[in-house]
């Protein structure tokens, strides 16, 4: 049984605006806060660790913004599950669980940022460690953040692919957007795992291309939901 069409459109627009806010938050965080202190932006552990020891305030800001991102991501996931459960309740619910799991893993980055801020500023660390040891501890936080972020990204994109597949199946959005979203999401998950076995896939140009493809899919979906809502689809069997 489908919900009221006007309510579905409101839900779709909430999802669209929340996803746009999440994308904007990620870009602003990368450009204005996390530059130089986020291992996921540079993959240079030593440089990142050194910068972290000089950036207590930015590390705390990065952690708080990550919490906001988690809240937005959770809102998007619940909204998508509500919209798509009539067309595959088991898959929609599974994608919700997987998506939130991925968001939790990414949220660990906030924990590691706060840890690094403490290592950089707490008086106790000045007493029990020397400069080299603090650098090593900061490097461990950066490396842990890298692992948690990429694992969370793989899991989140797998869930995202499931949601896009349900959009394709339901006809709630144009097939072009749904098809591209399914492909781009699966590509991100596959390549991130595969590059651990095929180092050439870790080239910055390849990474940029598949991440941009995924960004196009997310922006296309978000803008469509904000502007159009969702289509009147056939009743599910």
């Amino acid at each position: 049984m489908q919900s009221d069409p006007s309510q579905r459109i409101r839900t779709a627009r909430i999802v669209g605006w929340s996803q746009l806010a999440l994308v904007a938050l990620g870009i602003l965080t990368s450009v204005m806060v996390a530059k130089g202190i986020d291992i996921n932006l540079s993959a240079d552990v030593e440089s990142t660790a050194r910068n972290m020891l000089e950036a207590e305030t930015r590390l705390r800001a990065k952690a708080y913004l990550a919490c906001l991102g988690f809240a937005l991501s959770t809102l998007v996931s619940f909204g998508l599950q509500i919209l798509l459960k009539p067309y595959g309740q088991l898959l929609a619910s599974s994608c919700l669980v997987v998506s939130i799991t991925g968001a939790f893993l990414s949220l660990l980055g906030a924990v590691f940022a706060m840890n690094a801020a403490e290592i950089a500023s707490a008086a106790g660390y000045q007493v029990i460690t020397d400069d080299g040891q603090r650098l090593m501890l900061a490097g461990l936080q950066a490396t842990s953040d890298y692992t948690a972020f990429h694992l969370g990204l793989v899991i989140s994109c797998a869930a995202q692919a499931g949601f896009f597949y349900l959009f394709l199946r339901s006809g709630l959005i144009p097939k072009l957007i749904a098809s591209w979203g399914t492909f781009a999401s699966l590509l991100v998950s596959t390549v991130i795992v595969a590059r651990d076995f095929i180092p050439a896939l870790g080239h910055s140009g390849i990474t940029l291309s598949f991440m941009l493809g995924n960004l196009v899919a997310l922006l296309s979906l978000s803008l469509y939901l904000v502007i159009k809502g969702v289509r009147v689809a056939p009743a599910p069997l």
Side-chain angles (χ1 to χ4, degrees):
M1 185 175 186
Q2 298 196 69
S3 59
D4 177 61
S6 61
Q7 180 60 46
R8 291 167 63 235
I9 291 175
R10 283 194 295 271
T11 300
R13 286 181 171 149
I14 290 172
V15 170
W17 281 118
S18 298
Q19 184 64 66
L20 286 175
L22 185 59
V23 171
L25 178 66
I27 293 172
L28 290 174
T29 299
S30 299
V31 173
M32 301 181 65
V33 177
K35 187 176 181 179
I37 62 170
D38 190 340
I39 186 66
N40 302 300
L41 299 177
S42 69
D44 185 338
V45 178
E46 181 182 356
S47 176
T48 301
R50 291 187 184 280
N51 292 336
M52 289 166 79
L53 292 176
E54 302 295 331
E56 176 197 355
T57 301
R58 288 199 293 136
L59 284 167
R60 296 187 189 279
K62 177 176 177 287
Y64 298 142
L65 290 172
C67 293
L68 176 58
F70 172 77
L72 287 170
S73 179
T74 301
L75 180 60
V76 169
S77 297
F78 272 103
L80 290 173
Q81 192 266 348
I82 290 170
L83 286 172
L84 295 167
K85 65 181 179 180
Y87 304 94
Q89 185 167 356
L90 178 59
L91 180 56
S93 298
S94 298
C95 288
L96 172 63
V97 173
V98 173
S99 180
I100 292 177
T101 301
F104 266 118
L105 286 170
S106 297
L107 185 61
L108 287 175
V111 177
F112 298 129
M114 293 298 284
N115 288 347
E118 287 297 308
I119 292 167
S121 63
Y125 284 101
Q126 308 296 323
V127 174
I128 65 175
T129 63
D130 58 30
D131 290 345
Q133 290 170 328
R134 284 195 297 278
L135 182 64
M136 181 185 70
L137 289 172
L140 287 173
Q141 303 308 311
T143 302
S144 299
D145 182 15
Y146 183 87
T147 302
F149 174 80
H150 283 85
L151 182 56
L153 183 61
V154 169
I155 293 174
S156 296
C157 283
Q160 184 179 297
F163 283 133
F164 271 115
Y165 169 74
L166 286 174
F167 272 123
L168 181 63
R169 178 178 172 181
S170 67
L172 292 175
I173 65 173
K175 287 187 176 182
L176 178 60
I177 296 176
S179 299
W180 177 254
T182 304
F183 167 75
S185 303
L186 290 174
L187 182 64
V188 171
S189 293
T190 302
V191 174
I192 288 178
V193 173
R195 68 186 186 179
D196 288 335
F197 304 94
I198 307 174
L201 293 176
H203 188 276
S204 58
I206 295 176
T207 300
L208 180 62
S209 63
F210 70 72
M211 293 302 289
L212 282 177
N214 192 51
L215 179 61
V216 168
L218 291 175
L219 288 177
S220 299
L221 173 63
S222 302
L223 290 172
Y224 186 87
L225 294 179
V226 166
I227 297 169
K228 296 288 189 178
V230 287
R231 292 172 169 175
V232 178
L237 298 177

